[in-house]
Amino acid sequence: MGWIANIVAGLVGSWLGQMILGDWGPSLAGMALIPSIIGAIIVVLVVSWIFVKANKK
């Protein structure tokens, strides 16, 4: 998976994390940092795992 796909997955994960986990924790530029980071990490890991599985077949 390339760096552009990682960036896109991170942005989507950040948005998704904030939508699911809410606005708790410190905020920067109107975004809650902790839920955004958690969401981004989870989505990047899942997308990377899917790409690895797809390339092994």
Side-chain angles (χ1 to χ4, degrees), residues 24-49:
W24 55 275
S27 186
L28 180 67
M31 276 178 80
L33 293 178
I34 295 173
S36 296
I37 291 170
I38 292 169
I41 290 171
I42 291 171
V43 171
V44 167
L45 288 175
V46 168
V47 170
S48 295
W49 180 75

Side-chain angles (χ1 to χ4, degrees), residues 6 17 21 24 26 32 34 36 53 57:
N6 278 328
L21 300 174
W24 55 275
I34 295 173
S36 296
K53 283 283 209 184
K57 289 184 179 181

